[in-house]
Short mmCIF file of all heavy atoms in Angstrom, two decimals:
data_model
loop_
_atom_site.label_atom_id
_atom_site.label_comp_id
_atom_site.label_asym_id
_atom_site.label_seq_id
_atom_site.Cartn_x
_atom_site.Cartn_y
_atom_site.Cartn_z
N PRO A 1419 -12.96 49.75 -12.53
CA PRO A 1419 -13.19 51.04 -13.19
C PRO A 1419 -14.27 51.02 -14.27
O PRO A 1419 -14.81 52.06 -14.64
CB PRO A 1419 -11.82 51.38 -13.80
CG PRO A 1419 -10.84 50.64 -12.95
CD PRO A 1419 -11.53 49.36 -12.59
N HIS A 1420 -14.62 49.83 -14.76
CA HIS A 1420 -15.60 49.73 -15.84
C HIS A 1420 -17.03 49.56 -15.33
O HIS A 1420 -17.97 49.57 -16.12
CB HIS A 1420 -15.23 48.57 -16.77
CG HIS A 1420 -13.90 48.74 -17.41
ND1 HIS A 1420 -13.71 49.37 -18.62
CD2 HIS A 1420 -12.66 48.39 -16.98
CE1 HIS A 1420 -12.43 49.38 -18.93
NE2 HIS A 1420 -11.76 48.79 -17.94
N ALA A 1421 -17.18 49.37 -14.01
CA ALA A 1421 -18.51 49.12 -13.45
C ALA A 1421 -19.16 50.42 -12.96
O ALA A 1421 -18.49 51.31 -12.46
CB ALA A 1421 -18.40 48.13 -12.29
N ASP A 1422 -20.49 50.48 -13.13
CA ASP A 1422 -21.25 51.63 -12.63
C ASP A 1422 -21.73 51.39 -11.20
O ASP A 1422 -21.74 52.31 -10.39
CB ASP A 1422 -22.44 51.90 -13.55
CG ASP A 1422 -22.00 52.29 -14.95
OD1 ASP A 1422 -21.47 53.40 -15.11
OD2 ASP A 1422 -22.14 51.47 -15.87
N ASN A 1423 -22.15 50.18 -10.93
CA ASN A 1423 -22.57 49.79 -9.57
C ASN A 1423 -21.92 48.45 -9.23
O ASN A 1423 -21.85 47.57 -10.10
CB ASN A 1423 -24.09 49.65 -9.47
CG ASN A 1423 -24.79 50.97 -9.65
OD1 ASN A 1423 -24.98 51.40 -10.78
ND2 ASN A 1423 -25.19 51.60 -8.56
N ILE A 1424 -21.48 48.30 -7.99
CA ILE A 1424 -20.82 47.06 -7.59
C ILE A 1424 -21.48 46.51 -6.34
O ILE A 1424 -21.65 47.21 -5.35
CB ILE A 1424 -19.31 47.29 -7.31
CG1 ILE A 1424 -18.63 47.90 -8.53
CG2 ILE A 1424 -18.61 45.99 -6.93
CD1 ILE A 1424 -17.88 49.14 -8.24
N ILE A 1425 -21.87 45.24 -6.42
CA ILE A 1425 -22.39 44.53 -5.25
C ILE A 1425 -21.37 43.44 -4.92
O ILE A 1425 -21.02 42.61 -5.77
CB ILE A 1425 -23.78 43.92 -5.50
CG1 ILE A 1425 -24.84 45.02 -5.57
CG2 ILE A 1425 -24.16 42.98 -4.36
CD1 ILE A 1425 -25.12 45.54 -6.91
N VAL A 1426 -20.89 43.46 -3.69
CA VAL A 1426 -19.84 42.53 -3.26
C VAL A 1426 -20.45 41.45 -2.38
O VAL A 1426 -21.26 41.74 -1.50
CB VAL A 1426 -18.75 43.28 -2.47
CG1 VAL A 1426 -17.72 42.32 -1.91
CG2 VAL A 1426 -18.07 44.31 -3.36
N THR A 1427 -20.06 40.19 -2.63
CA THR A 1427 -20.55 39.09 -1.80
C THR A 1427 -19.41 38.12 -1.52
O THR A 1427 -18.26 38.39 -1.89
CB THR A 1427 -21.76 38.39 -2.46
OG1 THR A 1427 -22.36 37.51 -1.53
CG2 THR A 1427 -21.34 37.63 -3.71
N LYS A 1428 -19.74 37.00 -0.87
CA LYS A 1428 -18.69 36.06 -0.45
C LYS A 1428 -18.97 34.66 -0.99
O LYS A 1428 -20.01 34.07 -0.68
CB LYS A 1428 -18.63 36.02 1.08
CG LYS A 1428 -17.54 35.10 1.63
CD LYS A 1428 -17.61 35.03 3.15
CE LYS A 1428 -16.55 34.08 3.69
NZ LYS A 1428 -16.66 33.92 5.15
N PRO A 1429 -18.05 34.11 -1.80
CA PRO A 1429 -18.22 32.72 -2.25
C PRO A 1429 -18.28 31.77 -1.05
O PRO A 1429 -17.67 32.05 -0.01
CB PRO A 1429 -16.96 32.46 -3.09
CG PRO A 1429 -16.46 33.82 -3.48
CD PRO A 1429 -16.84 34.72 -2.35
N ARG A 1430 -18.98 30.65 -1.20
CA ARG A 1430 -19.18 29.73 -0.08
C ARG A 1430 -18.06 28.70 0.01
O ARG A 1430 -18.29 27.49 -0.10
CB ARG A 1430 -20.53 29.04 -0.20
CG ARG A 1430 -21.68 30.01 0.04
CD ARG A 1430 -23.01 29.35 -0.22
NE ARG A 1430 -24.12 30.27 0.01
CZ ARG A 1430 -25.24 30.27 -0.69
NH1 ARG A 1430 -25.41 29.40 -1.66
NH2 ARG A 1430 -26.20 31.13 -0.42
N VAL A 1431 -16.84 29.18 0.19
CA VAL A 1431 -15.69 28.30 0.39
C VAL A 1431 -14.79 28.91 1.46
O VAL A 1431 -14.78 30.14 1.64
CB VAL A 1431 -14.87 28.09 -0.92
CG1 VAL A 1431 -15.60 27.21 -1.90
CG2 VAL A 1431 -14.51 29.42 -1.57
N PRO A 1432 -14.03 28.09 2.19
CA PRO A 1432 -13.19 28.62 3.27
C PRO A 1432 -12.17 29.66 2.83
O PRO A 1432 -11.80 30.54 3.61
CB PRO A 1432 -12.49 27.36 3.80
CG PRO A 1432 -13.37 26.22 3.42
CD PRO A 1432 -14.00 26.62 2.12
N ARG A 1433 -11.71 29.57 1.57
CA ARG A 1433 -10.67 30.50 1.09
C ARG A 1433 -11.23 31.86 0.69
O ARG A 1433 -10.48 32.74 0.27
CB ARG A 1433 -9.95 29.89 -0.12
CG ARG A 1433 -9.10 28.67 0.21
CD ARG A 1433 -8.92 27.77 -1.01
NE ARG A 1433 -8.43 28.48 -2.17
CZ ARG A 1433 -8.65 28.09 -3.43
NH1 ARG A 1433 -9.36 27.00 -3.68
NH2 ARG A 1433 -8.17 28.78 -4.43
N ALA A 1434 -12.53 32.05 0.81
CA ALA A 1434 -13.16 33.28 0.32
C ALA A 1434 -12.79 34.49 1.18
O ALA A 1434 -12.64 34.40 2.39
CB ALA A 1434 -14.67 33.11 0.29
N MET A 1435 -12.67 35.63 0.52
CA MET A 1435 -12.49 36.90 1.21
C MET A 1435 -13.85 37.40 1.67
O MET A 1435 -14.84 37.26 0.95
CB MET A 1435 -11.85 37.92 0.25
CG MET A 1435 -11.63 39.29 0.85
SD MET A 1435 -10.74 40.40 -0.28
CE MET A 1435 -9.05 39.92 0.07
N SER A 1436 -13.93 37.96 2.86
CA SER A 1436 -15.21 38.46 3.36
C SER A 1436 -15.68 39.62 2.47
O SER A 1436 -14.87 40.34 1.89
CB SER A 1436 -15.10 38.93 4.80
OG SER A 1436 -14.46 40.20 4.86
N SER A 1437 -17.00 39.77 2.38
CA SER A 1437 -17.54 40.83 1.52
C SER A 1437 -17.13 42.21 2.04
O SER A 1437 -16.87 43.12 1.25
CB SER A 1437 -19.07 40.71 1.43
OG SER A 1437 -19.64 40.79 2.71
N LYS A 1438 -17.01 42.35 3.36
CA LYS A 1438 -16.62 43.66 3.92
C LYS A 1438 -15.17 44.01 3.55
O LYS A 1438 -14.87 45.15 3.17
CB LYS A 1438 -16.79 43.65 5.44
CG LYS A 1438 -18.25 43.75 5.86
CD LYS A 1438 -18.41 43.77 7.37
CE LYS A 1438 -19.90 43.85 7.73
NZ LYS A 1438 -20.10 43.70 9.18
N ASP A 1439 -14.28 43.04 3.66
CA ASP A 1439 -12.87 43.29 3.30
C ASP A 1439 -12.72 43.62 1.82
O ASP A 1439 -11.95 44.50 1.43
CB ASP A 1439 -12.01 42.08 3.65
CG ASP A 1439 -11.80 41.93 5.15
OD1 ASP A 1439 -12.10 42.90 5.88
OD2 ASP A 1439 -11.35 40.85 5.59
N LEU A 1440 -13.48 42.89 0.99
CA LEU A 1440 -13.42 43.13 -0.45
C LEU A 1440 -14.00 44.51 -0.79
O LEU A 1440 -13.45 45.25 -1.61
CB LEU A 1440 -14.17 42.03 -1.20
CG LEU A 1440 -14.07 42.02 -2.73
CD1 LEU A 1440 -12.62 42.02 -3.20
CD2 LEU A 1440 -14.81 40.82 -3.30
N ALA A 1441 -15.09 44.87 -0.12
CA ALA A 1441 -15.71 46.18 -0.35
C ALA A 1441 -14.77 47.32 0.00
O ALA A 1441 -14.73 48.35 -0.69
CB ALA A 1441 -17.00 46.29 0.44
N LYS A 1442 -13.99 47.14 1.07
CA LYS A 1442 -13.02 48.18 1.46
C LYS A 1442 -12.00 48.42 0.36
O LYS A 1442 -11.63 49.55 0.05
CB LYS A 1442 -12.29 47.75 2.74
CG LYS A 1442 -13.04 48.05 4.02
CD LYS A 1442 -12.20 47.58 5.22
CE LYS A 1442 -13.06 47.51 6.47
NZ LYS A 1442 -12.35 46.84 7.57
N LYS A 1443 -11.53 47.34 -0.24
CA LYS A 1443 -10.55 47.46 -1.33
C LYS A 1443 -11.17 48.16 -2.54
O LYS A 1443 -10.56 49.03 -3.16
CB LYS A 1443 -10.05 46.07 -1.74
CG LYS A 1443 -9.06 45.44 -0.76
CD LYS A 1443 -8.63 44.07 -1.24
CE LYS A 1443 -7.55 43.47 -0.35
NZ LYS A 1443 -6.26 44.17 -0.45
N ILE A 1444 -12.40 47.76 -2.87
CA ILE A 1444 -13.07 48.33 -4.05
C ILE A 1444 -13.38 49.80 -3.84
O ILE A 1444 -13.30 50.61 -4.78
CB ILE A 1444 -14.36 47.52 -4.36
CG1 ILE A 1444 -13.97 46.12 -4.86
CG2 ILE A 1444 -15.22 48.25 -5.39
CD1 ILE A 1444 -15.12 45.17 -5.01
N ASN A 1445 -13.71 50.17 -2.62
CA ASN A 1445 -14.08 51.55 -2.30
C ASN A 1445 -12.97 52.55 -2.64
O ASN A 1445 -13.24 53.72 -2.93
CB ASN A 1445 -14.44 51.64 -0.82
CG ASN A 1445 -15.19 52.92 -0.50
OD1 ASN A 1445 -16.19 53.23 -1.15
ND2 ASN A 1445 -14.71 53.66 0.46
N LYS A 1446 -11.73 52.08 -2.65
CA LYS A 1446 -10.61 52.96 -3.03
C LYS A 1446 -10.62 53.28 -4.52
O LYS A 1446 -10.02 54.26 -4.96
CB LYS A 1446 -9.28 52.28 -2.67
CG LYS A 1446 -9.07 52.09 -1.16
CD LYS A 1446 -7.83 51.23 -0.91
CE LYS A 1446 -7.73 50.88 0.57
NZ LYS A 1446 -6.66 49.89 0.82
N ILE A 1447 -11.29 52.42 -5.31
CA ILE A 1447 -11.33 52.62 -6.77
C ILE A 1447 -12.67 53.19 -7.21
O ILE A 1447 -12.76 54.05 -8.10
CB ILE A 1447 -11.10 51.27 -7.50
CG1 ILE A 1447 -9.85 50.58 -6.98
CG2 ILE A 1447 -10.99 51.47 -9.01
CD1 ILE A 1447 -9.70 49.12 -7.41
N ASN A 1448 -13.74 52.70 -6.60
CA ASN A 1448 -15.09 53.09 -7.00
C ASN A 1448 -15.99 53.08 -5.76
O ASN A 1448 -16.12 52.04 -5.10
CB ASN A 1448 -15.61 52.10 -8.07
CG ASN A 1448 -16.93 52.53 -8.68
OD1 ASN A 1448 -17.77 53.15 -8.03
ND2 ASN A 1448 -17.13 52.17 -9.94
N GLN A 1449 -16.58 54.23 -5.44
CA GLN A 1449 -17.36 54.36 -4.20
C GLN A 1449 -18.78 53.78 -4.31
O GLN A 1449 -19.47 53.63 -3.30
CB GLN A 1449 -17.46 55.82 -3.77
CG GLN A 1449 -16.22 56.35 -3.05
CD GLN A 1449 -15.07 56.60 -4.03
OE1 GLN A 1449 -15.24 57.28 -5.02
NE2 GLN A 1449 -13.90 56.03 -3.74
N LYS A 1450 -19.20 53.42 -5.53
CA LYS A 1450 -20.57 52.88 -5.69
C LYS A 1450 -20.58 51.38 -5.40
O LYS A 1450 -20.89 50.57 -6.27
CB LYS A 1450 -21.07 53.17 -7.10
CG LYS A 1450 -21.39 54.64 -7.34
CD LYS A 1450 -22.11 54.83 -8.66
CE LYS A 1450 -22.50 56.28 -8.86
NZ LYS A 1450 -23.12 56.51 -10.17
N VAL A 1451 -20.23 51.05 -4.17
CA VAL A 1451 -20.10 49.65 -3.80
C VAL A 1451 -20.97 49.35 -2.58
O VAL A 1451 -21.03 50.14 -1.64
CB VAL A 1451 -18.62 49.27 -3.55
CG1 VAL A 1451 -17.99 50.14 -2.47
CG2 VAL A 1451 -18.48 47.80 -3.19
N VAL A 1452 -21.64 48.19 -2.64
CA VAL A 1452 -22.49 47.72 -1.54
C VAL A 1452 -22.04 46.32 -1.17
O VAL A 1452 -21.77 45.49 -2.04
CB VAL A 1452 -23.98 47.69 -1.95
CG1 VAL A 1452 -24.84 47.13 -0.83
CG2 VAL A 1452 -24.45 49.08 -2.35
N SER A 1453 -21.94 46.05 0.14
CA SER A 1453 -21.51 44.74 0.62
C SER A 1453 -22.70 43.92 1.10
O SER A 1453 -23.55 44.43 1.83
CB SER A 1453 -20.50 44.92 1.76
OG SER A 1453 -20.26 43.70 2.41
N GLU A 1454 -22.76 42.66 0.65
CA GLU A 1454 -23.84 41.76 1.08
C GLU A 1454 -23.29 40.34 1.12
O GLU A 1454 -22.99 39.74 0.09
CB GLU A 1454 -25.03 41.85 0.10
CG GLU A 1454 -26.15 40.87 0.38
CD GLU A 1454 -26.64 40.90 1.81
OE1 GLU A 1454 -27.26 41.90 2.23
OE2 GLU A 1454 -26.39 39.90 2.53
N GLU A 1455 -23.11 39.81 2.34
CA GLU A 1455 -22.49 38.49 2.52
C GLU A 1455 -23.30 37.36 1.86
O GLU A 1455 -22.75 36.43 1.31
CB GLU A 1455 -22.33 38.20 4.02
CG GLU A 1455 -21.30 37.14 4.35
CD GLU A 1455 -19.89 37.68 4.53
OE1 GLU A 1455 -19.59 38.82 4.10
OE2 GLU A 1455 -19.08 36.96 5.09
N SER A 1456 -24.62 37.47 1.91
CA SER A 1456 -25.50 36.43 1.34
C SER A 1456 -25.54 36.56 -0.19
O SER A 1456 -25.88 37.62 -0.73
CB SER A 1456 -26.91 36.57 1.91
OG SER A 1456 -27.86 36.00 1.06
N ILE A 1457 -25.24 35.47 -0.89
CA ILE A 1457 -25.27 35.49 -2.36
C ILE A 1457 -26.69 35.73 -2.86
O ILE A 1457 -26.91 36.48 -3.82
CB ILE A 1457 -24.68 34.19 -2.95
CG1 ILE A 1457 -23.20 34.05 -2.55
CG2 ILE A 1457 -24.82 34.16 -4.47
CD1 ILE A 1457 -22.55 32.74 -2.94
N GLU A 1458 -27.68 35.11 -2.18
CA GLU A 1458 -29.08 35.30 -2.59
C GLU A 1458 -29.48 36.78 -2.51
O GLU A 1458 -30.09 37.33 -3.45
CB GLU A 1458 -30.03 34.49 -1.69
CG GLU A 1458 -29.93 32.99 -1.88
CD GLU A 1458 -28.88 32.33 -1.00
OE1 GLU A 1458 -27.99 33.04 -0.47
OE2 GLU A 1458 -28.94 31.10 -0.86
N GLN A 1459 -29.11 37.43 -1.41
CA GLN A 1459 -29.44 38.84 -1.25
C GLN A 1459 -28.67 39.71 -2.22
O GLN A 1459 -29.18 40.73 -2.71
CB GLN A 1459 -29.16 39.28 0.20
CG GLN A 1459 -30.18 38.79 1.21
CD GLN A 1459 -31.60 39.23 0.86
OE1 GLN A 1459 -31.86 40.41 0.60
NE2 GLN A 1459 -32.53 38.29 0.83
N ALA A 1460 -27.43 39.33 -2.49
CA ALA A 1460 -26.60 40.10 -3.45
C ALA A 1460 -27.23 40.06 -4.84
O ALA A 1460 -27.27 41.08 -5.55
CB ALA A 1460 -25.19 39.53 -3.48
N ILE A 1461 -27.74 38.91 -5.23
CA ILE A 1461 -28.42 38.79 -6.54
C ILE A 1461 -29.67 39.69 -6.55
O ILE A 1461 -29.93 40.39 -7.53
CB ILE A 1461 -28.80 37.32 -6.83
CG1 ILE A 1461 -27.54 36.48 -7.07
CG2 ILE A 1461 -29.74 37.23 -8.05
CD1 ILE A 1461 -27.79 34.99 -7.13
N LYS A 1462 -30.42 39.66 -5.44
CA LYS A 1462 -31.63 40.51 -5.35
C LYS A 1462 -31.26 41.99 -5.51
O LYS A 1462 -31.94 42.74 -6.21
CB LYS A 1462 -32.33 40.27 -4.02
CG LYS A 1462 -33.64 41.06 -3.87
CD LYS A 1462 -34.31 40.79 -2.54
CE LYS A 1462 -35.62 41.56 -2.44
NZ LYS A 1462 -35.44 43.02 -2.58
N LEU A 1463 -30.15 42.41 -4.87
CA LEU A 1463 -29.71 43.81 -5.00
C LEU A 1463 -29.37 44.15 -6.44
O LEU A 1463 -29.68 45.24 -6.93
CB LEU A 1463 -28.49 44.05 -4.11
CG LEU A 1463 -28.73 44.14 -2.60
CD1 LEU A 1463 -27.41 44.26 -1.86
CD2 LEU A 1463 -29.64 45.32 -2.25
N CYS A 1464 -28.73 43.23 -7.14
CA CYS A 1464 -28.41 43.45 -8.57
C CYS A 1464 -29.69 43.64 -9.38
O CYS A 1464 -29.78 44.55 -10.21
CB CYS A 1464 -27.65 42.25 -9.13
SG CYS A 1464 -25.96 42.09 -8.54
#
């Protein structure tokens, strides 16, 4: 709720949640969310 824009990505470990699944959850709270699996690309989007 405190974020204006959210970029979702996936940590590089087997236990990580996919960026798409995480984005779906966030979308219920804040619609300004973008999913990007690559951490490098997610940083660029930020």
Side-chain angles (χ1 to χ4, degrees):
H1420 299 270
D1422 296 290
N1423 294 81
I1424 303 127
I1425 289 92
V1426 175
T1427 191
K1428 182 184 178 184
R1430 290 174 180 145
V1431 287
R1433 292 155 53 205
M1435 179 175 276
S1436 77
S1437 58
K1438 285 181 181 173
D1439 287 347
L1440 187 54
K1442 277 180 196 170
K1443 285 180 175 291
I1444 291 172
N1445 196 52
K1446 295 171 188 172
I1447 309 167
N1448 188 328
Q1449 280 75 52
K1450 288 190 177 177
V1451 58
V1452 176
S1453 169
E1454 175 51 69
E1455 200 89 342
S1456 157
I1457 297 174
E1458 291 88 343
Q1459 286 303 310
I1461 292 170
K1462 183 180 181 301
L1463 286 175
C1464 289

